[in-house]
Amino acid sequence: MKIILLGPPGAGKGTQAKFISERYFIPHISTGDIFRKNISEKTSLGVEAKKYLDEGKLVPDEITISMMKNRLAVDDCKKGFLLDGFPRTVTQAKALDLFLSNTGGRIDVALLIDVPKDLILNRITGRRVCPSCGASYHIKFNPPKVEGKCDVCHNDIVQRKDDTEATVKSRLDVYDKQTEPLIDYYEAQDVLSTVNGTGEIDQVFQNIKDVLKDIHK
Ligand code: ADP
Ligand code: ADP
Ligand code: ZN
């Protein structure tokens, strides 16, 4: 299955992606995680991307598309994949369609996790992440078993530098202008499914499974 996760920052894409990837045995590919890994390793891609992430702006399409083409060419993507945070612009979506059509493939479903804006700020400012495995926690809604430590790898969890109120405003603005048009884009291709993202984490996953069971072959 080839799945795209859509939704504003803080909607729960990363959280749900972990569950989906485990259940359907497809790799979870998060552009944000790839950028952050490159930033922490100070690669040339990381040095370039950092300025954009710090300001809550999008990394230019050219850089992002070429990085994703490399990632999607890796063998583990042959059985399908789950994209979290890509595409984020219509240009990226068109590049992805073209890339897939070269091998006769296409997206099976674009899942929009629908969460109203007033819930987003609390979700993002309370988010804590594991720099090592990318797991996402929330100080109130999804705390780790041991305070401050990742359940999976027991590393210290941290607040992302771009999860401050000021940067979130810029990211939401970017979402409205550049990413939201993708909803119409995938609707027009008849692959859009919207799931209610306001319930508890388990409930949202159930909503997603209900959609995917009709698509999973
Ligand atoms: P995204 O990848 O879309 O930016 P995350 O999955 O990182 O979003 O979730 C953002 C924050 O909200 C995290 O702190 C996460 O633990 C929390 N969260 C995710 N889903 C829910 C939910 N259904 N209810 C409450 N909090 C949630
Ligand atoms: P969230 O979904 O919580 O907003 P991500 O981890 O997906 O955060 O993305 C963090 C940052 O990484 C974005 O604000 C942006 O700077 C960069 N980024 C991630 N995905 C893309 C993309 N597809 N195109 C351009 N920039 C991206
Ligand atoms: Zn971890």
Side-chain angles (χ1 to χ4, degrees):
M1 241 186 329
K2 300 187 185 71
I3 309 174
I4 292 173
L5 282 182
L6 287 177
K13 300 181 297 297
T15 302
Q16 297 299 330
K18 290 251 181 288
F19 298 136
I20 301 169
S21 149
E22 277 166 24
R23 187 183 170 95
Y24 297 95
F25 307 105
I26 46 176
H28 168 203
I29 302 174
S30 155
T31 36
D33 285 351
I34 300 176
F35 285 133
R36 281 184 290 275
K37 187 161 185 286
N38 276 276
I39 291 171
S40 78
E41 291 172 357
K42 299 195 169 62
T43 66
S44 56
L45 172 67
V47 171
E48 181 61 21
K50 186 176 188 307
K51 346 178 224 211
Y52 301 99
L53 271 86
D54 283 353
E55 286 184 24
K57 304 224 169 80
L58 293 185
V59 177
D61 283 334
E62 207 183 60
I63 299 175
T64 307
I65 290 167
S66 117
M67 177 183 90
M68 284 304 279
K69 277 186 182 164
N70 288 334
R71 180 62 189 90
L72 291 169
V74 177
D75 265 1
D76 65 344
C77 292
K78 285 206 176 105
K79 55 184 183 247
F81 48 74
L82 173 64
L83 301 185
D84 164 12
F86 180 90
R88 252 176 157 101
T89 64
V90 171
T91 304
Q92 292 178 14
K94 288 184 175 160
L96 175 64
D97 282 349
L98 186 64
F99 178 85
L100 295 177
S101 70
N102 286 338
T103 53
R106 56 168 297 189
I107 291 302
D108 295 301
V109 61
L111 273 177
L112 170 66
I113 304 184
D114 191 24
V115 178
K117 293 270 153 62
D118 56 337
L119 290 184
I120 294 284
L121 192 62
N122 269 340
R123 283 196 185 181
I124 295 188
T125 51
R127 168 159 59 189
R128 299 292 181 271
V129 297
C130 172
S132 165
C133 74
S136 181
Y137 300 91
H138 191 282
I139 48 174
K140 264 212 264 170
F141 309 134
N142 183 27
K145 293 194 187 87
V146 178
E147 200 187 322
K149 303 277 180 196
C150 175
D151 291 350
V152 186
C153 38
H154 313 290
N155 274 311
D156 287 345
I157 55 175
V158 298
Q159 182 164 35
R160 270 169 49 179
K161 203 175 163 196
D162 60 343
D163 276 352
T164 56
E165 224 176 300
T167 314
V168 171
K169 288 217 172 71
S170 155
R171 286 158 61 202
L172 286 173
D173 201 40
V174 165
Y175 177 80
D176 286 345
K177 294 202 176 84
Q178 296 186 260
T179 308
E180 215 170 45
L182 292 181
I183 297 175
D184 288 343
Y185 182 88
Y186 288 112
E187 177 90 275
Q189 291 192 4
D190 210 20
V191 291
L192 185 78
S193 286
T194 304
V195 295
N196 181 339
T198 59
E200 293 198 357
I201 291 174
D202 292 351
Q203 179 59 54
V204 177
F205 185 44
Q206 188 57 54
N207 299 343
I208 291 176
K209 281 186 287 187
D210 288 344
V211 168
L212 293 183
K213 73 175 186 304
D214 295 330
I215 293 156
H216 192 50
K217 292 162 229 137

